[in-house]
Amino acid sequence: MDTVTRPRILVVGAGFAGVDCVRRLERKLAPDEADVTLVTPFAYQLYLPLLPQVASGVLTPQSIALSLRRSKKYRTRIIPGGAIGVDLKSKVCVIRTITDKIVNESYDYIVLAPGSVTRTFDIPGLTDHAFGMKTLAEAAYIRDHVIAQLDLADASEDPAERAARLQFVVVGGGYAGTETAACLQRLTHAAVRRYPRLDPALIRWHLIDIAPRLMPELGPKLGRSAQEILKRRGVDVSLGVSIDKAGPEEVTFTDGRVVPTHTLIWTAGVVASPLIATLGAETVKGRLAVTAEMCLPGHDGVFALGDSAAVPDLAKGQEGAVCPPTAQHAMRQGRKVADNVIAALRGLPLQPYEHKDLGLVVDLGGKDAVSKPLGVELRGLAAQAVARGYHWSALRTNVAKTRVLTNWLLNAVAGDDFVRTGFQARKPARLKDFEFTDSYLTPEQVRARVGDTAPDRP
């Protein structure tokens, strides 16, 4: 008797793009029409824009970690691990599971949404001494670390050590860096009141960026407004400046300044996941070159989107314009890719992706924010209402919405807590320890592995 095998759809990545794609596939595909598999180290979708509020303790970590298993209708098979290589010719994805077992997973259609990793440069000491702000674990660790600096400074009898522990450096004047500096500065400003031995004037936050303006996407007026808010709070903003070298107890800026500090937070942009380099396909500034339908030219059944794909931005109407790596685009691309995968399955024409940017929001904590919804520039409480309203509405589940809203209300009424959880105490937890960028295979290693072994299951 002949056995009919259903088409296999493999989705790589559980970020905004991957999860929205999977959810739409589940809603629109009949159970016997295709098998859907998702590759992700964690069975949750992380709402990245609110990560600085986790680092500052305004939100609890589980508030922005949206479980992929809450839905009773969820039927996608999850492989707990990360894709480390793809052989497009053999239609096989190489996966390293969370137990470090390497397996091959074959597919008929693959959706590549592995996201991005922190962009670093060849700066001495950077990956050994800097913290990142890309994962839930990093945000939780940074909160512990910042509060620990206050504890250690309070206990120290050495004025030089006390001053060094109370200086904090954030590199990156984009949304992540600006919001991180703003939220953590508010945390230390509130916490120092509980440390009577510490002089609040010793606490200094530095926000630096090589660009000439803070958050240039907001425009010059709102960028200046955000910079003025930070300066009013006591954050030292330096533009046209970066890091020359980093050490365990000091950081040297490119303008020659040496800042004694135990805290360097690196948020200077992102680059496409190293998985893209394993494909041996054409890229645009590191992102996979795809069509407006988010297909990889010359390879049937291969789709790519989100931070790792250079999706043409048709709404701009400019030659060569690509969609920025934002959650707003990733979610909508995920749904459109799902529609196109279904169309390919059913032999229907594929549709191009087009979306006009709805605007930008920046939450600086408390009553401070700057926003630009639909081109309208807002500041203060109005901007804060828009920023939090947008984030709240974008959360995928009612449970997450309830948790986030409750956390916001509780923080507004009761203020901050300053509890260290002991997360990874006495263990290294810098950039190199969280993103595992050295785990990926070369194209040659992928071909060798796929050629030597048959597809299997973990």
Side-chain angles (χ1 to χ4, degrees), residues 189-206:
H189 180 74
V192 75
R193 301 171 188 169
R194 313 296 176 90
Y195 295 84
R197 296 181 70 246
L198 295 181
D199 180 0
L202 289 177
I203 297 180
R204 294 192 62 188
W205 280 87
H206 303 265

Side-chain angles (χ1 to χ4, degrees), residues 255-289:
D255 63 2
R257 281 181 290 166
V258 178
V259 176
T261 180
H262 295 259
T263 309
L264 171 61
I265 302 174
W266 180 267
T267 63
V270 296
V271 293
S273 167
L275 177 67
I276 299 304
T278 73
L279 275 64
E282 182 184 353
T283 59
V284 178
K285 295 183 178 179
R287 301 168 73 183
L288 198 61

Side-chain angles (χ1 to χ4, degrees), residues 84-87 90 92-96 102-104 274 277-280 437-453:
I84 58 174
V86 178
D87 189 314
S90 301
V92 171
C93 180
V94 183
I95 300 166
R96 186 190 300 274
I102 298 180
V103 299
N104 292 350
T278 73
L279 275 64
T437 53
D438 57 351
S439 299
Y440 295 86
L441 304 179
T442 65
E444 293 74 23
Q445 289 173 324
V446 173
R447 285 193 293 271
R449 169 161 181 89
V450 172
D452 293 341
T453 60

Side-chain angles (χ1 to χ4, degrees), residues 212-446:
R213 292 208 312 261
L214 203 64
M215 295 181 292
E217 299 89 344
L218 281 173
K221 291 183 180 179
L222 285 183
R224 281 197 300 270
S225 294
Q227 188 170 339
E228 289 167 2
I229 290 170
L230 294 176
K231 285 187 175 181
R232 187 171 68 244
R233 290 191 192 170
V235 177
D236 180 12
V237 180
S238 299
L239 301 175
V241 178
S242 189
I243 295 295
D244 186 55
K245 61 181 178 180
E249 297 181 2
E250 66 178 28
V251 172
T252 303
F253 293 178
T254 52
D255 63 2
R257 281 181 290 166
V258 178
V259 176
T261 180
H262 295 259
T263 309
L264 171 61
I265 302 174
W266 180 267
T267 63
V270 296
V271 293
S273 167
L275 177 67
I276 299 304
T278 73
L279 275 64
E282 182 184 353
T283 59
V284 178
K285 295 183 178 179
R287 301 168 73 183
L288 198 61
V290 297
T291 67
E293 294 77 19
M294 292 170 283
C295 299
L296 183 62
H299 298 277
D300 291 337
V302 180
F303 299 82
L305 67 163
D307 292 6
S308 288
V311 179
D313 193 346
L314 300 183
K316 285 188 176 179
Q318 300 175 2
E319 184 73 24
V322 298
C323 297
T326 63
Q328 185 180 147
H329 280 288
M331 290 188 288
R332 290 166 174 81
Q333 288 172 5
R335 296 191 284 270
K336 179 61 73 173
V337 157
D339 290 342
N340 282 342
V341 170
I342 294 169
L345 270 170
R346 298 172 180 172
L348 301 174
L350 277 56
Q351 300 298 319
Y353 170 77
E354 184 173 358
H355 169 67
K356 186 176 181 180
D357 205 304
L358 298 177
L360 307 163
V361 295
V362 181
D363 188 337
L364 299 174
K367 299 177 182 179
D368 295 323
V370 290
S371 300
K372 196 175 182 180
L374 301 174
V376 180
E377 296 187 351
L378 299 174
R379 300 167 180 79
L381 284 176
Q384 184 66 281
V386 169
R388 295 202 170 182
Y390 172 79
H391 289 316
W392 185 83
S393 64
L395 292 166
R396 187 172 46 79
T397 68
N398 290 329
V399 172
K401 290 180 179 180
T402 302
R403 282 177 174 162
V404 167
L405 185 59
T406 301
N407 285 174
W408 279 339
L409 292 173
L410 183 61
N411 182 261
V413 173
D416 298 296
D417 286 317
F418 314 108
V419 177
R420 282 190 291 122
T421 62
F423 181 80
Q424 286 201 348
R426 299 179 183 273
K427 295 182 180 179
R430 301 302 193 267
L431 274 171
K432 65 177 183 178
D433 301 306
F434 279 106
E435 298 197 26
F436 307 106
T437 53
D438 57 351
S439 299
Y440 295 86
L441 304 179
T442 65
E444 293 74 23
Q445 289 173 324
V446 173

